[in-house]
Amino acid sequence: YVLAYSIIMLNTDAHSPKVMKKMTKDEFKRNNRGINDGADLPPELLEGIYDRITASGFKVKDDDESDASPAASSADLDKTSSQAKYRAEA
């Protein structure tokens, strides 16, 4: 969990225009010392994570950015209706 949280924080730090002083690779590695049952993760792993996140990052889709088509939504409604009908008959 610690590494996942650290990656989210790095992503925010690296890609938010509100953060003026960006985290360095050494700071990221230092922040993650001892998180592997008291041991350090391999520096190559942390450096790779740092490089990938700072290069491209990741974003969470908003509800408005959903790529579900109206047809898919109708199919989902039909499926839900069928399931409700089945439960009612059972």
Side-chain angles (χ1 to χ4, degrees):
Y1 298 114
V2 175
L3 182 59
Y5 182 77
S6 184
I7 291 170
I8 293 168
M9 295 303 296
L10 174 63
N11 186 70
T12 302
D13 180 274
H15 300 287
S16 174
K18 295 180 182 179
V19 177
M20 296 300 147
K21 184 187 176 303
K22 304 294 184 183
M23 186 184 314
T24 67
K25 190 180 292 188
D26 286 335
E27 289 171 330
F28 179 71
K29 291 186 331 187
R30 187 172 47 248
N31 289 343
N32 288 288
R33 279 189 290 195
I35 66 169
N36 188 21
D37 285 331
D40 293 345
L41 293 167
E44 302 82 20
L45 173 71
L46 294 174
E47 290 168 3
I49 291 169
Y50 180 91
D51 291 340
R52 286 188 299 276
I53 295 297
T54 57
S56 61
F58 58 87
K59 294 183 180 181
V60 177
K61 281 188 175 183
D62 290 336
D63 289 338
D64 296 339
E65 296 177 18
S66 175
D67 38 326
S69 67
S73 297
S74 296
D76 289 341
L77 288 175
D78 289 343
K79 182 178 174 184
T80 303
S81 299
S82 297
Q83 290 172 350
K85 184 177 177 182
Y86 174 78
R87 280 189 222 115
E89 292 173 356

